[in-house]
């Protein structure tokens, strides 16, 4: 119970140290939340953390004296994660009397976090914590190879959960549009004085691009979701940030947050990130075939080819560095490097067009 200064005075006065350390008590597990995408070769991510909240009582930078969760975080709402430092965002620790309870408690806390704005390794952490082999203590350095990184890094939300989240996003958007309409002229979203087709919105998720068709009628919600059975699906309430759906008597709440065209939907089905797609695409925004996009924000550290060079499929064109990691950008196909838009030292944003490879053609004019 002595602090460091007290311990030094105790020893200086001739006191002895306890011969044995205190006995272990309970089990503790720590996970480290990183701004990286394990499913894409651990690519580091950067950007703004719009919201970071663990929806359970937690201790912060202090010890746990009973079962619970501790969060040691270097980020808060609004923090900007740059490309020049280690991508670790937080350490999240659980303590419980037994290991299984510690793992399940930690998995629930990490899965239920409101974490908006960045791709992270959250899904990987939760899937590992819930894996039967991990719970059995059957772990070693080959865990990812044995059980498959692709499976362990799979999204927590299923394809159906993502589709329902897209429906919630569309209904929340309709409520937001109605709330923004002056009261004197407010009418239901999509209202017509003649029969008309359903409202339609499109969202791109991890599993698929979802087309949501819906109508809000006097008798309730009529909706269509690609590949999803919507029989018995009803709407309880919808506001700009909260939607409650009923399915066979089971009510499910969806929390919806919008940041530009990005929509985060949190529910018990798992966290979902969607990109709202416009109804009409600007032709000028279309990418040229063969465009090489920056897979992460970073700095160009060297070039492997010059404009006008002939390249082969898979040939390195340039190298990027970010967050102490190096990533090779390769030619997607054989052809000619017709554009090279960067030089060594250039700072690039994720999704920037770095170069363009025009595919090679045979004498008949067909691409090879």
């Amino acid at each position: 119970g002595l602090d460091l200064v007290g311990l030094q005075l105790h020893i200086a006065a001739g006191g002895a140290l306890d011969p044995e350390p205190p006995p272990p008590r309970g089990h503790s597990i720590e996970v480290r939340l990183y701004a990286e995408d394990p499913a894409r070769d651990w690519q580091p991510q950067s950007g703004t953390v719009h919201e970071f909240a663990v929806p359970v009582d937690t201790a912060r930078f202090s010890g746990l004296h009973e079962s619970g969760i501790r969060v040691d975080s270097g980020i808060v709402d609004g923090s900007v994660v740059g490309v020049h430092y280690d991508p670790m965002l937080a350490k999240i620790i659980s303590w419980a009397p037994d290991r299984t309870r510690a793992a399940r408690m930690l998995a629930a806390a990490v899965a239920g976090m409101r974490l908006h704005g960045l791709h992270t390794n959250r899904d990987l952490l939760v899937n590992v914590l819930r894996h039967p082999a991990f719970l059995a203590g059957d772990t070693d350095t080959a865990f990812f190879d044995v059980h498959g990184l692709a499976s362990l890094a799979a999204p927590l939300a299923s394809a159906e959960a993502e589709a329902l989240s897209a429906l919630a996003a569309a209904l929340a958007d309709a409520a937001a549009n109605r709330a923004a309409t002056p009261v004197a002229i407010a009418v239901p979203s999509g209202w017509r004085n003649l029969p008309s087709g359903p409202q339609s919105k499109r969202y791109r998720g991890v599993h698929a691009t979802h087309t949501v068709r819906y109508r809000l009628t006097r008798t309730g919600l009529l909706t269509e979701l690609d590949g999803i059975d919507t029989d018995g699906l009803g709407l309880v309430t919808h506001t700009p940030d909260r939607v409650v759906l009923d399915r066979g008597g089971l009510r499910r709440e969806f929390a919806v947050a919008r940041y530009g065209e990005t929509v985060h939907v949190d529910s018990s089905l798992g966290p979902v990130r969607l990109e709202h797609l416009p109804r009409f695409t600007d032709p000028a925004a279309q990418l040229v075939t063969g465009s090489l996009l920056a897979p992460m924000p970073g700095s160009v550290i060297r070039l492997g080819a010059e404009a006008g060079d002939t390249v082969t499929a898979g040939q390195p064109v340039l190298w990027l560095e970010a967050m102490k990691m190096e990533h090779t950008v390769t030619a997607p196909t054989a052809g000619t490097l017709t554009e090279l838009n960067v030089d060594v030292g250039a700072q690039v944003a994720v999704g920037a067009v770095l170069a363009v490879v025009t595919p090679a053609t045979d004498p008949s004019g067909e691409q090879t």
Side-chain angles (χ1 to χ4, degrees), residues 234-258:
L235 175 63
V236 178
T237 185
H238 68 305
T239 68
D241 57 8
R242 178 176 172 270
V243 174
V244 179
L245 299 176
D246 181 286
R247 196 174 199 180
L250 175 63
R251 292 189 174 186
R252 190 91 61 179
E253 180 174 335
F254 299 81
V256 182
R258 291 173 296 279

Side-chain angles (χ1 to χ4, degrees), residues 47-53 74-82 114-118 259:
T48 301
V49 179
H50 299 295
E51 183 175 1
F52 174 65
I75 58 170
V76 295
D77 294 357
S79 291
V80 177
V81 178
R114 287 176 64 90
L115 181 57
H116 300 169
L118 288 175
Y259 309 96

Side-chain angles (χ1 to χ4, degrees), residues 116-139:
H116 300 169
L118 288 175
H119 289 288
T120 70
N121 64 338
R122 184 243 294 268
D123 294 344
L124 174 69
L125 298 176
V126 175
N127 287 330
V128 170
L129 288 167
R130 290 174 173 170
H131 198 282
F134 180 86
L135 293 174
D138 185 14
T139 58

Side-chain angles (χ1 to χ4, degrees), residues 20-28 95-98:
E20 297 293 335
R25 183 174 65 90
H27 292 255
S28 184
W95 183 90
D98 62 81

Side-chain angles (χ1 to χ4, degrees), residues 48 82 102 110 152 213 272 289 310:
T48 301
V110 176
L152 293 171
R213 302 176 185 87
V272 170
T289 300
T310 299

Side-chain angles (χ1 to χ4, degrees), residues 34-36 41-45 82-88 296-299 301 320-327:
Y34 272 76
E36 63 185 9
D41 197 26
W42 306 94
Q43 291 175 6
Q45 307 290 308
V83 299
H84 303 295
Y85 302 100
D86 188 288
M88 186 168 67
M296 59 184 179
S299 175
I301 56 175
L320 291 175
E321 183 180 59
M323 295 180 178
K324 304 179 183 179
M325 292 182 62
E326 184 177 299
H327 184 84

Side-chain angles (χ1 to χ4, degrees), residues 132-147:
F134 180 86
L135 293 174
D138 185 14
T139 58
D140 55 30
T141 55
F143 192 87
F144 290 168
D145 294 330
V146 171
H147 300 288

